[in-house]
Amino acid sequence: MYKEESMHRFDGSCSSSTGHYSFFGQIPGTPPAIPGMFPNMFPLATGQQFGALPVMPVQAMTQQATRHARRVYVGGLPPTANEQSVATFFSQVMAAIGGNTAGPGDAVVNVYINHEKKFAFVEMRSVEEASNAMALDGIIFEGAPVKVRRPSDYNPSLAATLGPSQPNPNLNLAAVGLTPGSAGGLEGPDRIFVGGLPYYFTEAQIKELLESFGPLRGFDLVKDRETGNSKGYAFCVYQDLSVTDIACAALNGIKMGDKTLTVRRANQGASQPKPEQESVLLHAQQQIALQRFMLLQQPGAGPGGAAASKVICLTQVVTADELRDDEEYEDIMEDMRQEGEKFGPLTRVVIPRPRPDGEPSPGVGKVFLEYTEMEGASKARAGLNGRKFGGNQVVAVFYPENKFAEGDYDA
């Protein structure tokens, strides 16, 4: 439970030293106990007679009685959060998971934020919607996972008489990247949040980057429910939990295209690598340079980056001297054809050779593999990048199809 601060500005109700005011009507012929205090609290229609005590409207009474059960505490908010952004966000995600049970419209009716302590109280329309909102614990708001809890005035025994106290088990939490009982779709304190991913990165590319530190036990790239496109963040857990902090330290802050990765423990309880891990971390940081180069070749990566195509360009594979000898050249061609066909049918293989007169020849030192299908090219780029060929570590990138067709091998 979380302690609540004074919220008079947002309550829509008043408090006295004895609690909330009770609004009583005036019995005919009886003067009010405090003259003039509530002169027009219950205006009557023309000709209406006093026959009974006016009472607070049923809806208002219900709202007051259920208020402690209709609010949720949201902690860990980013500094940029405000009442409107929080209300809009939680209304949208409630609709996305199917958590709205009080009819059309926004689920959130009121928000109070304590900016200094970075928490908010979010008031829902109904008790059931507030209970459904409890399933949103760990959801990413403006790049940060937030806590969703019950406030300090929540009375479980009283709330049980007002509506469901647990989230509906049929909520579509996958629509917002969550699963029941675990933030981000993966369990445990070693769950890693990976944010700032360029939207064009595929699951395979992101996993390839993460798996440079070891095999994953779980991985979840959060996608838009309607479009199926990446939302730019993911969660993962490593099989070997000892590499968790190593991966976070090595990947956090790396620039990918026009974005910068944010990689940390999802529960924000990140610990620093132990002294004995420092040598492993140094090695990891060295290895990540190769992974960064590979990912930066993807579409949208900026200067030097090529869009995905059916043509793969391999560099650091052969030298000009190796290509001068006809027999050796044919052996290399056959080796590259056999290796390339492991990923899909090839249209052709091109390995530019040095000119006999010694003049510069475009593309010498590169190997081009043209596939009949995009799928084969993608598999080849992922499978060949970083492999060893003749003692050299291969770099595989997509190459513009139009340049290749024109014989321009220096693009």
Side-chain angles (χ1 to χ4, degrees), residues 8-30:
H8 298 309
R9 287 187 299 145
F10 306 92
D11 283 353
S13 62
C14 300
S15 296
S16 68
S17 60
T18 58
H20 292 288
Y21 287 129
S22 295
F23 300 139
F24 292 99
Q26 187 177 336
I27 300 176
T30 304

Side-chain angles (χ1 to χ4, degrees), residues 245-326:
D245 292 315
I246 294 174
C248 290
L251 291 169
N252 188 56
I254 284 179
K255 289 192 176 298
M256 292 290 182
D258 59 348
K259 291 182 176 290
T260 302
L261 293 186
T262 298
V263 185
R264 60 169 179 263
R265 287 176 181 262
N267 62 6
Q268 296 187 319
S271 57
Q272 295 300 315
K274 298 176 181 178
E276 60 266 26
Q277 294 177 322
E278 289 182 354
S279 61
V280 183
L281 175 58
L282 178 61
H283 176 71
Q285 289 172 327
Q286 293 171 341
Q287 289 297 311
I288 207 65
L290 178 63
Q291 298 293 332
R292 288 176 60 190
F293 182 84
M294 178 272 293
L295 288 172
L296 283 170
Q297 307 309 310
Q298 303 311 308
S309 76
K310 296 179 183 178
V311 181
I312 300 300
C313 175
L314 308 179
T315 58
Q316 301 184 39
V317 180
V318 293
T319 65
D321 289 339
E322 293 172 328
L323 299 173
R324 287 193 173 93
D325 182 89
D326 290 340

Side-chain angles (χ1 to χ4, degrees), residues 103-147:
D106 293 337
V108 177
V109 297
N110 188 36
V111 174
Y112 163 78
I113 290 185
N114 183 311
H115 291 281
E116 181 181 356
K117 297 182 179 179
K118 299 179 182 178
F119 72 83
F121 291 105
V122 179
E123 184 177 343
M124 302 292 177
R125 294 179 298 180
S126 70
V127 173
E128 186 174 0
E129 287 179 338
S131 294
N132 286 341
M134 296 304 296
L136 298 173
D137 183 36
I139 193 165
I140 303 299
F141 172 72
E142 295 185 359
V146 295
K147 299 176 182 178

Side-chain angles (χ1 to χ4, degrees), residues 193-213:
F193 167 73
V194 184
L197 293 166
Y199 298 116
Y200 52 80
F201 276 14
T202 65
E203 289 191 34
Q205 291 166 346
I206 299 167
K207 288 180 70 174
E208 184 176 354
L209 176 66
L210 296 171
E211 287 176 342
S212 61
F213 301 96

Side-chain angles (χ1 to χ4, degrees), residues 42-380:
F42 300 104
L44 299 176
T46 303
Q48 183 174 349
Q49 300 295 319
F50 285 102
L53 296 178
V55 294
M56 181 183 288
V58 173
Q59 182 180 5
M61 290 179 67
T62 301
Q63 287 182 340
Q64 283 297 331
T66 62
R67 189 166 183 275
H68 75 98
R70 290 187 296 102
R71 293 185 308 143
V72 296
Y73 165 94
V74 180
L77 291 172
T80 54
N82 57 52
E83 283 84 355
Q84 184 60 51
S85 65
V86 171
T88 300
F89 175 78
F90 277 91
S91 288
Q92 289 177 344
V93 296
M94 284 289 288
I97 67 174
N100 289 1
T101 57
D106 293 337
V108 177
V109 297
N110 188 36
V111 174
Y112 163 78
I113 290 185
N114 183 311
H115 291 281
E116 181 181 356
K117 297 182 179 179
K118 299 179 182 178
F119 72 83
F121 291 105
V122 179
E123 184 177 343
M124 302 292 177
R125 294 179 298 180
S126 70
V127 173
E128 186 174 0
E129 287 179 338
S131 294
N132 286 341
M134 296 304 296
L136 298 173
D137 183 36
I139 193 165
I140 303 299
F141 172 72
E142 295 185 359
V146 295
K147 299 176 182 178
V148 181
R149 303 284 191 272
R150 296 289 189 182
S152 61
D153 65 353
Y154 180 72
N155 185 324
S157 58
L158 178 57
T161 67
L162 301 172
S165 57
Q166 297 297 322
N168 186 319
N170 298 317
L171 294 175
N172 182 20
L173 297 179
V176 293
L178 300 174
T179 57
S182 62
L186 299 168
E187 299 179 354
D190 294 285
R191 183 178 67 252
I192 296 175
F193 167 73
V194 184
L197 293 166
Y199 298 116
Y200 52 80
F201 276 14
T202 65
E203 289 191 34
Q205 291 166 346
I206 299 167
K207 288 180 70 174
E208 184 176 354
L209 176 66
L210 296 171
E211 287 176 342
S212 61
F213 301 96
L216 297 173
R217 188 180 77 198
F219 173 79
D220 179 21
L221 175 62
V222 181
K223 300 178 180 179
D224 184 275
R225 181 177 63 168
E226 295 183 358
T227 66
N229 296 331
S230 165
K231 286 193 171 183
Y233 64 92
F235 295 89
C236 73
V237 173
Y238 284 95
Q239 289 184 13
D240 180 1
L241 301 182
S242 67
V243 306
T244 300
D245 292 315
I246 294 174
C248 290
L251 291 169
N252 188 56
I254 284 179
K255 289 192 176 298
M256 292 290 182
D258 59 348
K259 291 182 176 290
T260 302
L261 293 186
T262 298
V263 185
R264 60 169 179 263
R265 287 176 181 262
N267 62 6
Q268 296 187 319
S271 57
Q272 295 300 315
K274 298 176 181 178
E276 60 266 26
Q277 294 177 322
E278 289 182 354
S279 61
V280 183
L281 175 58
L282 178 61
H283 176 71
Q285 289 172 327
Q286 293 171 341
Q287 289 297 311
I288 207 65
L290 178 63
Q291 298 293 332
R292 288 176 60 190
F293 182 84
M294 178 272 293
L295 288 172
L296 283 170
Q297 307 309 310
Q298 303 311 308
S309 76
K310 296 179 183 178
V311 181
I312 300 300
C313 175
L314 308 179
T315 58
Q316 301 184 39
V317 180
V318 293
T319 65
D321 289 339
E322 293 172 328
L323 299 173
R324 287 193 173 93
D325 182 89
D326 290 340
E327 186 175 348
E328 189 168 2
Y329 175 79
E330 291 301 328
D331 287 343
I332 293 173
M333 281 285 290
E334 184 59 27
D335 287 344
M336 295 312 307
R337 182 177 288 105
Q338 290 181 1
E339 194 65 30
E341 286 176 343
K342 293 178 181 179
F343 304 98
L346 285 166
T347 302
R348 59 176 171 155
V349 177
V350 174
I351 305 178
R353 299 184 69 179
R355 291 177 53 169
D357 58 8
E359 290 294 316
S361 181
V364 173
K366 297 178 182 179
V367 174
F368 297 90
L369 304 177
E370 183 182 25
Y371 285 85
T372 58
E373 302 291 341
M374 189 75 74
E375 181 181 4
S378 296
K379 289 181 178 179

